[in-house]
Amino acid sequence: MTDVLTVRPSFDQYVWTFGGAAPLARIKPGTVLDVFTEDCFAGRVRSERDLVSEVCEFPFLNPQTGPFYIEGAEPGDTVAVHFVSIEPARDWAASTTVPLFGALTSTHTTATLQPPLPERVWIWALDRARRTCTFTARDNDITVELPMDPMHGTVGVAPPNLEVRSALVPDLHGGNMDTPEMRAGVTCYLGVNVAGALLSFGDGHARQGEGETCGVAVETAMNTIVIVDLIKGRATPWPRIESDTHIMSVGSARPLEDAFRIAQLDLVQWVAAGRGLSEMDAYQLLSQAVESPLANVCDTNYSSVAKVRKAWLPPATSDDSVHARLRAQAAEYRAS
Amino acid sequence: MTDVLTVRPSFDQYVWTFGGAAPLARIKPGTVLDVFTEDCFAGRVRSERDLVSEVCEFPFLNPQTGPFYIEGAEPGDTVAVHFVSIEPARDWAASTTVPLFGALTSTHTTATLQPPLPERVWIWALDRARRTCTFTARDNDITVELPMDPMHGTVGVAPPNLEVRSALVPDLHGGNMDTPEMRAGVTCYLGVNVAGALLSFGDGHARQGEGETCGVAVETAMNTIVIVDLIKGRATPWPRIESDTHIMSVGSARPLEDAFRIAQLDLVQWVAAGRGLSEMDAYQLLSQAVESPLANVCDTNYSSVAKVRKAWLPPATSDDSVHARLRAQAAEYRAS
Amino acid sequence: MTDVLTVRPSFDQYVWTFGGAAPLARIKPGTVLDVFTEDCFAGRVRSERDLVSEVCEFPFLNPQTGPFYIEGAEPGDTVAVHFVSIEPARDWAASTTVPLFGALTSTHTTATLQPPLPERVWIWALDRARRTCTFTARDNDITVELPMDPMHGTVGVAPPNLEVRSALVPDLHGGNMDTPEMRAGVTCYLGVNVAGALLSFGDGHARQGEGETCGVAVETAMNTIVIVDLIKGRATPWPRIESDTHIMSVGSARPLEDAFRIAQLDLVQWVAAGRGLSEMDAYQLLSQAVESPLANVCDTNYSSVAKVRKAWLPPATSDDSVHARLRAQAAEYRAS
Amino acid sequence: MTDVLTVRPSFDQYVWTFGGAAPLARIKPGTVLDVFTEDCFAGRVRSERDLVSEVCEFPFLNPQTGPFYIEGAEPGDTVAVHFVSIEPARDWAASTTVPLFGALTSTHTTATLQPPLPERVWIWALDRARRTCTFTARDNDITVELPMDPMHGTVGVAPPNLEVRSALVPDLHGGNMDTPEMRAGVTCYLGVNVAGALLSFGDGHARQGEGETCGVAVETAMNTIVIVDLIKGRATPWPRIESDTHIMSVGSARPLEDAFRIAQLDLVQWVAAGRGLSEMDAYQLLSQAVESPLANVCDTNYSSVAKVRKAWLPPATSDDSVHARLRAQAAEYRAS
């Protein structure tokens, strides 16, 4: 019988870091979490007049729901987070520019003498029935309807090396990777760095382009259901994602080529270890088969995804059915 | 009535640079070119024993078919190259590692004290009827069949600034961008830098992963048909690609985030200019709508693609039917 | 009358992070600290047989002496740390290679398929009377004597944004900047991010090349005397250093050009604000006058120094005598 | 008896590229060249009203005096250029900002949506007797006098790989390295890539900060005397510089850490080969002894210098007296 934990955090229960916060709850492997996540603005950007620099209170950005202490999780293990469903909790979402943040502006580190770009808010309309999000231009009366494709920008565990990282940072502990691949139906694998793992997630996006160019997606609160499992004795060096059709590695670093290298090397080693290929053969095969969609090119570290279709790989050499099992458990849960 | 030029170059007719070579032929805008392109090894890697460092003669790598002098082309104009068909000319292709070249190795510029990776050749079998390419592992007896997806790694014109660039280099003149998006059915737009533009192309790949991780794709000779057109008075700052469904910009630079920035900014400005949006509104819309598949993370400059579905944009503000017209001309030509 | 605090930490008093640790002591502004700092290996590399991967216990690297809670320090203030003296506490020092760490090797983020470089230890002899350090080659019997130039690789305060950072990381809170400019006679200015600032330092180097190419300097324990002062109401965005002759800014980021940009921009703005120049004029003047010695190109962030001779600047527009005052206090203390 | 060639080029004799130009003269190894070099603006910026974007004619920037065909020079050899004297030919110099060029601005490749910085000219006064250059602020009436330290920003030979590169580009052929180390008294070693080497130089700076932050130094015409020699059978992979006291390697690439890696690795290998050390021992020694002043962080490639005091190295294992011999020849020439 499945444990189900429903969480609707009060404002002071949100956390703003990975590591360094007391657990919100302790859960057993296999638990279903039915949670609410607030948007990255902590819900404070509600109209075109709500500029981030005025309504948000730094560093209280990107609130995370959690952390969840997973019983039995120890360094060297892997947490598996299966996203059963990710549903916008509102019929609107917000996106903005933020001064000195984003890819097409100078920033605090790509530092120039130029003034920042204008600060601006766009409110998007979400139609949950039709699965669309509608853009409304600010400078004339154009609107554009795009498909909704809900995802979580941020999912992670406590980092290694005694560190506490802001929820705005992606690194090997996961965190703010901002990849559109983190959608319902996938399983995210994260290596455990501290006892209990301390899993949190948040930063829902009704949709996001690859690279999150302006630094901010179509940000909204989410009602999300995940199943959290634990794989004992398997280390996961960088975050991995599995869908029904693909496996993916996510590298986060600067410059962007390092994020690319991390993700590609991890996928080469994952495939070599799991599909009976030498590393050189896996390097060759993946060089011809890989998809490399960018995740973010705006955060503290940039994130790059290496992704390959499972049907294009040799058969797995061992029975590695975690995703399939969680997929089945999710179907069962949804049917119940 | 369409001009058709058939070109089967002799070995000494290939060129190894963009710029700096006498035209192979002068053509009128609208000409159909039916050409053969040799593979990037100049055809010298034919078996697993043919190591690049032994059989190839530097700098005679990546032979290009061309250059074609396009009558009437002047700086400030744009050349449109529509790829009617790209068909492997052999039933095999070669891929390799090359010492100190590729993304998962130190290189001549990402210079380390480590010895290079092993040099190795993989011969791929191409089945042109079934549209597949088959990988054969070197270290055990695994084979994997992947879909064929033929493309040209290299297409470009003479560069600006009085320069002559190796055919291994991608930059704003196009060149060795190595994007899988350069497949049959697309139109590539290149800004003209010198009188006649001096268009060349080559470097056929039976398929390639995004990023060309090991530095070398599934390399083969191609029989390729293109229609070359000229758009007078329209400047194109960086290479652009249009398919029936998408428009794309290609940025090439190092570090990789600069290639990303170039491509994203060009797409923002292209969409703003052509779809009636302000730059800030286009920035917002594309941040949510863009796909950002990497092209290469191994060449002299890295290449990043910014790609958006035309159906997700506001209507074009002017009749910009070059791709549609060339598409129609291609259909007519194929029917003839 | 000057407060003097002498600190000889027991092993379990060292801290391994900036932020996240309880104060070792509370001090008043103006206090002289007479402290011992252990080397970056926590003293465990003592011979050529002591490989870091075998004798060190991750993440317990780079022990810091501190943190010191400075009474009255609040966000928006600046801590001034004047280095009165930095003296090796032993007559030997150690340097090493560390697998996948350093500038001339692939690393965990500049990830390649190559095996790591060999792991090796060099023991340097320090002659404190003659002020020399002697290198002894491992692969033949060559020795080389270099001048001793003692410095602290690491000095910092608790970081902003609720974070706790490993002592191996340099960023805007200071930390592991690894610049040879941090020698006796200079004053280091650090912006305060949390109440009490929480100052720590360590990582003594008998000497270090610019860039710390192999990742490890001539590492030794130090007996160090500093005077710690507090400048109320002055914010310092990035670490700054003042010597009798120069002012310097230190930027830490990746890629290295961003570290350079940060340091140069901070120096431009420091000079503009303090010497009556417009930012554009300061940009011009410094472009011709600046020295740009690298600090480290191996740590989590790279560090770049922008340095200008005070005699080459217009006169200061305000009486900014913190360094001069601390210099005088140091002279008095040494005389006492 | 020494050959002396005096060159005062007419405007149409300047060249704007490395490679691709007919020799201005053929010279024998050992020839003394007594030449005039125009400033990087081709002499067109003469007052504060002369904006680069208005008075300069792209791509005709950075005129080079040459190329000189060195008899007997073949690929695999090295050209040695000894700078006997570099003297400003005018009593003024110019510096500017250039739109979208420089380190503290977005650029054509670090592409952002921000408007460029203001375009501005500063005219510097040169006092050749007192060896000073005087800065005059534009926004108030401050002046600052700095020491003159004349240098050539650009010196190079034809590049390899059939390429022709703009004189604005630094790479392994030398070119626009913009290092203040290229002053009178040093010998610059450049590997030969094509028959005759095709040496050119120009881009005189009355002085320059390390990194050339705003993109432009104190630019002036120069009267320069060099002795050009040829070292048969010695390859030089990247530009090297020797002074009476130091040896230096110059790496040029992006990102900046790659320029650093190239220079450091070249210096490690140079020292290992010439001083009887293993590469690992040279890596250790140089990590503690090297100076790493930046050259430029604004050009097409960034340039980083690795520099070590000869007195801090083991004795040379072979008689490598090229610099000493040219130094002596220069003394003799000046005395004659």
Side-chain angles (χ1 to χ4, degrees), chain A residues 95-226:
Chain A
S95 190
T96 69
T97 48
V98 176
L100 300 181
F101 183 68
L104 299 187
T105 171
S106 54
T107 67
H108 293 283
T109 55
T110 304
T112 81
L113 282 160
Q114 293 158 300
L117 288 179
E119 192 172 356
R120 193 164 289 194
V121 176
W122 290 262
I123 300 296
W124 290 64
L126 307 185
D127 185 327
R128 288 171 286 185
R130 298 181 52 242
R131 314 301 290 171
T132 60
C133 0
T134 298
F135 164 76
T136 302
R138 291 292 308 271
D139 292 327
N140 56 35
D141 58 4
I142 291 174
T143 61
V144 177
E145 195 178 85
L146 300 182
M148 187 181 286
D149 187 9
M151 54 164 278
H152 278 284
T154 310
V155 49
V157 293
N161 298 327
L162 313 173
E163 291 203 316
V164 173
R165 303 306 309 272
S166 158
L168 296 168
V169 176
D171 208 323
L172 50 76
H173 67 284
N176 197 24
M177 297 174 283
D178 282 321
T179 168
E181 306 291 347
M182 203 71 78
R183 56 170 66 89
V186 308
T187 304
C188 176
Y189 303 105
L190 297 164
V192 177
N193 302 302
V194 305
L198 297 176
L199 172 74
S200 309
F201 53 96
D203 193 23
H205 300 162
R207 69 168 291 118
Q208 182 207 300
E210 291 170 353
E212 206 179 12
T213 313
C214 80
V216 184
V218 183
E219 310 282 343
T220 194
M222 293 287 176
N223 290 310
T224 291
I225 299 172
V226 301

Side-chain angles (χ1 to χ4, degrees), chain A residues 71-93:
Chain A
E71 294 182 356
E74 295 168 305
D77 299 339
T78 290
V79 169
V81 184
H82 181 72
F83 288 87
V84 179
S85 61
I86 305 174
E87 288 298 311
R90 298 175 183 134
D91 59 4
W92 59 273

Side-chain angles (χ1 to χ4, degrees), chain C residues 95-97 101-105 107 110 117-120 122 124 135-140 142-147 207-218 254-257 260-262 264-265 268 275-294 297 302 304 311-314, chain D residues 95-97 101-105 107 110 117-120 122 124 135-140 142-147 207-218 254-257 260-262 264-265 268 275-294 297 302 304 311-314:
Chain C
S95 191
T96 69
T97 47
F101 182 68
L104 299 186
T105 170
T107 67
T110 305
L117 288 179
E119 192 172 356
R120 194 166 289 193
W122 290 262
W124 290 65
F135 163 77
T136 302
R138 293 292 309 271
D139 291 326
N140 55 36
I142 291 173
T143 61
V144 178
E145 196 178 83
L146 300 182
R207 70 169 288 119
Q208 181 207 301
E210 291 170 354
E212 207 180 11
T213 313
C214 80
V216 183
V218 184
R254 290 189 177 198
L256 183 55
E257 52 263 44
F260 174 86
R261 287 182 181 113
I262 290 166
Q264 300 282 326
L265 180 63
V268 165
R275 305 278 172 158
L277 290 169
S278 70
E279 287 197 351
M280 288 300 286
D281 279 333
Y283 187 29
Q284 170 61 210
L285 176 59
L286 287 172
S287 292
Q288 317 311 341
V290 77
E291 294 169 70
S292 303
L294 292 171
V297 191
Y302 303 139
S304 181
W312 292 2
L313 296 176
Chain D
S95 191
T96 69
T97 47
F101 183 69
L104 299 186
T105 170
T107 66
T110 304
L117 288 178
E119 192 172 356
R120 194 165 288 195
W122 291 262
W124 290 64
F135 163 76
T136 302
R138 292 291 310 270
D139 291 326
N140 55 35
I142 290 174
T143 61
V144 178
E145 196 179 84
L146 299 182
R207 71 169 287 119
Q208 181 206 302
E210 291 170 354
E212 206 180 14
T213 314
C214 79
V216 184
V218 184
R254 289 189 179 200
L256 183 55
E257 52 264 43
F260 175 85
R261 287 182 181 114
I262 290 166
Q264 301 282 325
L265 180 63
V268 166
R275 305 280 172 156
L277 290 170
S278 70
E279 287 195 353
M280 288 301 286
D281 279 333
Y283 187 30
Q284 170 60 211
L285 176 59
L286 287 172
S287 292
Q288 316 311 341
V290 77
E291 293 169 70
S292 304
L294 292 171
V297 191
Y302 303 140
S304 182
W312 292 3
L313 296 176

